[in-house]
Amino acid sequence: MNIQPLLPRSLSHEFIAHLDDDVLLIGMRSLLPFEVRSLASRSAEESAHAIRAMVTQGGGQLEVALWTLVMEARRHGKDMARMEEVRSLLVGARRTNTAVQRTLDGMWSELESLPSSSFASGVEDIVVTILEDQDANYLDMARFGSSLIEDGMGILTTCFAEHSFFLSLALARQEGRSFTVYSQETRPYLQGAHLTSPALAEMGYDHRLITDGMSAHVVSSGKVGIYMTASDNATRTGWVVNKVGTLASAIVCARYGVPYYAFSTGFDERFSSLEDFAVEYRSGDEVKACQGMRTTVDDVQAIYPAFDIVPPDLVAGIVTRGGIVK
């Protein structure tokens, strides 16, 4: 099944990342919804910088990493020393989301076995197969996710919940169910305002944009029946890592009996608990501005923990390809 018609443009493969000859064009989520533009990357160093600079994030990070491998293979052929350097750059760009490392680790032996004469085309074939499987994974998860959405339900979300969330909404609508999505703005980068809400509007879904401080009011007033997010990392034992703000809303939802479900494309088997997981701290200067405009004076000291770690007792289930893990 082709999932692209069920997704907003910001989640299309063409927008997220695609090669134009030997140049990788990365969709600049950071400019949406006001401008649709791509950033040209000509090396793994430039791709890694784009990821660190939040040009793309979430699922976009993996697609950029995969097409960067193809670009580098076209430029350098089967130079495994360079490919290992590329791998290190891409994995290290933002370590909290471990999908890049898990995917590259899983494909590396196959990549190493490719003949030199057809190395670049072989890498591209591997990448296309992975992306096709990812789309199937998203759809499998969405079938379980949509089953959680009841007719007339209010759905709270944080940040940009990506493919499986939007596919869950699409499948629920196809089955005749209505819903209202409450999307938190997600400061300081405002992914909820810049990405989620415009995508909901594009797809014609009933939605309300709320500030980050409004989730307790909305949940306590009975408007929300389920809380759904993506996850940047998750374990089989129920721990979830997602954008900062997720934990606060999970606590609120637990207080008012609203279940929290997170989508996961794959568990990180290195962790049984994420309690001691190293959360990415970005520059506090990013908290002191919004859309390039300063919101306070330079002397103010700020911190920016980019992710929350949500413990299992606040998680009703993790939506996976194989079902809902509780």
Side-chain angles (χ1 to χ4, degrees):
M1 178 180 179
N2 180 15
I3 67 173
Q4 296 298 303
L6 302 178
L7 295 170
R9 187 178 187 279
S10 57
L11 289 175
S12 68
H13 291 305
E14 182 69 13
F15 174 78
I16 293 172
H18 69 277
L19 281 169
D20 183 6
D21 292 326
D22 290 344
V23 176
L24 180 61
L25 299 179
I26 303 170
M28 300 185 72
R29 289 185 178 182
S30 55
L31 297 181
L32 294 176
F34 306 110
E35 186 176 354
V36 178
R37 184 153 54 93
S38 293
L39 175 73
S41 169
R42 294 172 174 80
S43 68
E45 286 81 2
E46 291 182 356
S47 293
H49 180 268
I51 292 169
R52 284 193 299 272
M54 299 285 288
V55 169
T56 191
Q57 31 60 256
Q61 181 177 339
L62 176 58
E63 292 200 34
V64 168
L66 289 170
W67 285 114
T68 298
L69 289 177
V70 178
M71 175 178 66
E72 290 283 348
R74 289 183 181 180
R75 289 177 178 273
H76 299 284
K78 193 173 182 179
D79 181 347
M80 292 312 297
R82 172 58 181 169
M83 294 304 285
E84 287 288 356
E85 185 179 11
V86 169
R87 180 186 189 182
S88 178
L89 285 166
L90 296 171
V91 168
R94 294 194 77 199
R95 291 186 176 275
T96 302
N97 185 330
T98 61
V100 172
Q101 180 172 353
R102 287 186 280 114
T103 303
L104 267 56
D105 286 352
M107 67 184 285
W108 213 252
S109 61
E110 186 179 2
L111 186 148
E112 289 176 321
S113 68
L114 292 171
S116 299
S117 59
S118 58
F119 185 69
S121 62
V123 173
E124 184 169 357
D125 288 343
I126 293 171
V127 165
V128 169
T129 298
I130 289 172
L131 291 175
E132 288 175 347
D133 184 66
Q134 278 286 91
D135 281 356
N137 190 353
Y138 293 140
L139 185 58
D140 288 343
M141 287 192 290
R143 290 190 175 107
F144 293 109
S146 66
S147 71
L148 299 170
I149 300 172
E150 299 175 3
D151 188 41
M153 179 175 270
I155 306 167
L156 178 68
T157 192
T158 296
C159 199
F160 190 40
E162 302 268 349
H163 300 70
S164 293
F165 177 68
F166 276 90
L167 290 171
S168 295
L169 300 180
L171 295 180
R173 181 164 68 177
Q174 284 181 353
E175 295 171 0
R177 281 170 275 159
S178 63
F179 47 80
T180 301
V181 180
Y182 294 89
S183 173
Q184 298 179 79
E185 61 183 355
T186 323
R187 295 192 181 198
Y189 273 90
L190 299 173
Q191 293 100 325
H194 284 192
L195 301 176
T196 306
S197 295
L200 291 167
E202 177 188 338
M203 301 306 293
Y205 298 132
D206 188 29
H207 65 281
R208 303 291 186 275
L209 175 65
I210 61 174
T211 68
D212 292 351
M214 293 180 185
S215 61
H217 172 84
V218 172
V219 172
S220 67
S221 63
K223 292 182 171 64
V224 172
I226 193 170
Y227 179 32
M228 306 179 88
T229 73
S231 65
D232 289 270
N233 206 339
T235 71
R236 292 187 185 277
T237 53
W239 293 81
V240 170
V241 174
N242 196 51
K243 180 69 179 180
V244 69
T246 304
L247 176 59
S249 290
I251 292 170
V252 168
C253 286
R255 169 65 178 81
Y256 290 98
V258 173
Y260 168 47
Y261 291 90
F263 291 94
S264 175
T265 57
F267 293 117
D268 193 324
E269 302 294 355
R270 297 174 299 165
F271 300 97
S272 59
S273 169
L274 294 174
E275 199 166 15
D276 299 318
F277 190 79
V279 172
E280 175 190 0
Y281 270 75
R282 296 180 65 85
S283 170
D285 288 342
E286 297 179 32
V287 178
K288 294 158 57 177
C290 185
Q291 296 186 268
M293 180 179 295
R294 292 190 306 163
T295 57
T296 189
V297 296
D298 291 340
D299 290 343
V300 167
Q301 302 298 304
I303 62 170
Y304 180 11
F307 296 93
D308 274 335
I309 298 175
V310 184
D313 61 301
L314 296 178
V315 181
I318 299 176
V319 184
T320 74
R321 186 175 204 167
I324 301 173
V325 178
K326 298 183 178 182

